[in-house]
Amino acid sequence: MDRPRLDLEEPMFRDRPRRTVAAAVAAAASLGAVAFGLTSPHAASAAQEDTELRLTTVEKADTRTEYPKAGDHWVSYFDVHTTETGRDGKESAGRRVGDGSDRCDVVLARYEGVVTQCQRVLRTENGTLVLTSMTDRFGRGPHTGTAAVTGGTGAYAKARGEASLTQTDKQGSFRIRLRD
C-alpha cells in the first residue's frame, strides 16, 4: 500500500494562504450556527457591543540579538500611548497611558527572517491587557499579525477578543477588539 509522501523541506506555515483557512473556518462556523439555530437577535446585538481600543507602543529597551536563532528569546519594554490619526491618515503616538512589555521566542529562523511567538502585557491606567501571538517577521518591516486577547485586570478583567498589530523596529500599532 502506497503511503502519501510528506515533504518536510517545505515549511508548514506557508502551505496555505491564511485567508483561505480563515474563510473556511468562518464559513463552517456560520453554517454550524444556522444548522443549530444559534443565530438570534441577541447574538447580532452582542456583536455590535464590541469595544475597540487603538494603542501605540514606543519601545524603550530590548534584549533582541542581531541574528536570532531558533530557541532564542528576547524581552522588550515600551511606553503605551493612545493612537492619534493625522489629517494625512498617518497614525502616531498620542497621550501616554501606561507601559508594557513583551517576551518573544524564536520558533523558526531562516535567512529571510524569523517566526516568533510573543506574549505581551499592556499596562494602562484602566487595567492590564494580555495578548499572545505568533508572527512571521520576514523581510523588512513593518510586520503585521493578529494576537489573541487572553485576559486582563481592572476594567479588562474579563477581556476576550483579538488585536491586529503592526510593528516597526521601535514602534507598534494595536487595534484591539474586545468582545463583551
mmCIF file of all heavy atoms in Angstrom, residues 21-33:
data_model
loop_
_atom_site.group_PDB
_atom_site.id
_atom_site.type_symbol
_atom_site.label_atom_id
_atom_site.label_comp_id
_atom_site.label_asym_id
_atom_site.label_seq_id
_atom_site.Cartn_x
_atom_site.Cartn_y
_atom_site.Cartn_z
ATOM 1 N N VAL A 21 -7.795 29.618 4.887
ATOM 2 C CA VAL A 21 -8.117 28.872 6.086
ATOM 3 C C VAL A 21 -9.125 29.652 6.926
ATOM 4 O O VAL A 21 -10.111 29.107 7.407
ATOM 5 C CB VAL A 21 -6.833 28.576 6.893
ATOM 6 C CG1 VAL A 21 -7.169 27.956 8.229
ATOM 7 C CG2 VAL A 21 -5.909 27.678 6.094
ATOM 8 N N ALA A 22 -8.899 30.943 7.096
ATOM 9 C CA ALA A 22 -9.811 31.768 7.888
ATOM 10 C C ALA A 22 -11.201 31.800 7.262
ATOM 11 O O ALA A 22 -12.206 31.732 7.966
ATOM 12 C CB ALA A 22 -9.262 33.184 8.033
ATOM 13 N N ALA A 23 -11.264 31.899 5.940
ATOM 14 C CA ALA A 23 -12.558 31.914 5.255
ATOM 15 C C ALA A 23 -13.284 30.584 5.443
ATOM 16 O O ALA A 23 -14.496 30.547 5.660
ATOM 17 C CB ALA A 23 -12.366 32.217 3.773
ATOM 18 N N ALA A 24 -12.543 29.485 5.386
ATOM 19 C CA ALA A 24 -13.153 28.160 5.572
ATOM 20 C C ALA A 24 -13.687 28.004 6.992
ATOM 21 O O ALA A 24 -14.782 27.489 7.209
ATOM 22 C CB ALA A 24 -12.143 27.061 5.256
ATOM 23 N N VAL A 25 -12.932 28.456 7.980
ATOM 24 C CA VAL A 25 -13.370 28.376 9.371
ATOM 25 C C VAL A 25 -14.606 29.249 9.583
ATOM 26 O O VAL A 25 -15.565 28.833 10.222
ATOM 27 C CB VAL A 25 -12.226 28.783 10.326
ATOM 28 C CG1 VAL A 25 -12.735 28.957 11.745
ATOM 29 C CG2 VAL A 25 -11.110 27.764 10.270
ATOM 30 N N ALA A 26 -14.592 30.464 9.034
ATOM 31 C CA ALA A 26 -15.743 31.362 9.182
ATOM 32 C C ALA A 26 -16.983 30.769 8.518
ATOM 33 O O ALA A 26 -18.080 30.826 9.070
ATOM 34 C CB ALA A 26 -15.425 32.731 8.593
ATOM 35 N N ALA A 27 -16.812 30.185 7.332
ATOM 36 C CA ALA A 27 -17.942 29.570 6.637
ATOM 37 C C ALA A 27 -18.494 28.393 7.428
ATOM 38 O O ALA A 27 -19.705 28.245 7.583
ATOM 39 C CB ALA A 27 -17.516 29.128 5.235
ATOM 40 N N ALA A 28 -17.608 27.559 7.958
ATOM 41 C CA ALA A 28 -18.049 26.410 8.749
ATOM 42 C C ALA A 28 -18.765 26.871 10.013
ATOM 43 O O ALA A 28 -19.782 26.299 10.400
ATOM 44 C CB ALA A 28 -16.860 25.526 9.110
ATOM 45 N N ALA A 29 -18.257 27.914 10.661
ATOM 46 C CA ALA A 29 -18.891 28.428 11.875
ATOM 47 C C ALA A 29 -20.281 28.986 11.575
ATOM 48 O O ALA A 29 -21.221 28.752 12.320
ATOM 49 C CB ALA A 29 -18.022 29.505 12.507
ATOM 50 N N SER A 30 -20.416 29.726 10.452
ATOM 51 C CA SER A 30 -21.727 30.288 10.139
ATOM 52 C C SER A 30 -22.709 29.194 9.746
ATOM 53 O O SER A 30 -23.872 29.252 10.100
ATOM 54 C CB SER A 30 -21.614 31.337 9.040
ATOM 55 O OG SER A 30 -21.194 30.756 7.826
ATOM 56 N N LEU A 31 -22.236 28.156 9.030
ATOM 57 C CA LEU A 31 -23.116 27.036 8.694
ATOM 58 C C LEU A 31 -23.559 26.306 9.952
ATOM 59 O O LEU A 31 -24.702 25.923 10.083
ATOM 60 C CB LEU A 31 -22.412 26.076 7.733
ATOM 61 C CG LEU A 31 -22.262 26.565 6.297
ATOM 62 C CD1 LEU A 31 -21.439 25.577 5.492
ATOM 63 C CD2 LEU A 31 -23.625 26.766 5.666
ATOM 64 N N GLY A 32 -22.621 26.126 10.895
ATOM 65 C CA GLY A 32 -22.959 25.464 12.153
ATOM 66 C C GLY A 32 -23.969 26.279 12.935
ATOM 67 O O GLY A 32 -24.897 25.738 13.520
ATOM 68 N N ALA A 33 -23.832 27.578 12.954
ATOM 69 C CA ALA A 33 -24.761 28.440 13.683
ATOM 70 C C ALA A 33 -26.151 28.360 13.071
ATOM 71 O O ALA A 33 -27.142 28.298 13.790
ATOM 72 C CB ALA A 33 -24.257 29.881 13.686
#
